[in-house]
Amino acid sequence: MLNQADITLIIAALQFWAEEMDPEDEQCLKIYAEAPEAGQTWTPAEIQQLRSRLKTAHLNYVVYKKSRTALQGRELHSTLQRAFESCNDLTDQVGTLLLPEAPPEV
């Protein structure tokens, strides 16, 4: 599961990628992603847009059943501790949920 430090590292890695890597080099992504099938390329502008979305996303946690087919409840937790405290069963698990920034009210 992701925490805020993980998100910060991903944002920094995206910045490095945008500044230091050739966005047209598909081989570079295949090597670093360790996925021979990776073929996606991103422009620096697209990477910056993703960084912005990650910076403004709200990190929450949900409790779900071991089967991964149902949530334990509808509550979103702002901390891992609160999520783990709300587990009803030893098989319940905690997952990360990234929610986009709310649009401005009109």
Side-chain angles (χ1 to χ4, degrees):
M1 88 199 75
L2 297 173
N3 59 38
Q4 191 58 52
D6 298 330
I7 300 298
T8 300
L9 176 61
I10 292 167
I11 291 168
L14 286 168
Q15 182 67 37
F16 177 83
W17 189 272
E19 292 175 356
E20 302 297 329
M21 302 301 191
D22 179 2
E24 302 300 321
D25 184 359
E26 290 184 21
Q27 288 301 320
C28 195
L29 178 61
K30 290 177 184 183
I31 292 167
Y32 284 94
E34 297 178 0
E37 70 282 359
Q40 178 73 33
T41 60
W42 290 275
T43 66
E46 290 168 327
I47 292 171
Q48 292 305 330
Q49 187 178 49
L50 176 56
R51 288 183 73 241
S52 294
R53 289 195 316 261
L54 286 171
K55 282 181 178 180
T56 59
H58 296 278
L59 183 65
N60 289 277
Y61 301 94
V62 293
V63 178
Y64 61 93
K65 300 296 180 187
K66 186 178 181 179
S67 65
R68 298 182 185 178
T69 59
L71 295 177
Q72 179 232 26
R74 293 184 178 186
E75 186 175 0
L76 301 180
H77 305 279
S78 59
T79 67
L80 277 172
Q81 181 179 348
R82 286 187 181 163
F84 280 114
E85 288 171 356
S86 74
C87 291
N88 292 332
D89 187 296
L90 291 176
T91 62
D92 285 348
Q93 298 185 7
V94 174
T96 305
L97 181 63
L98 281 174
L99 294 174
E101 183 177 45
E105 292 186 27
V106 181

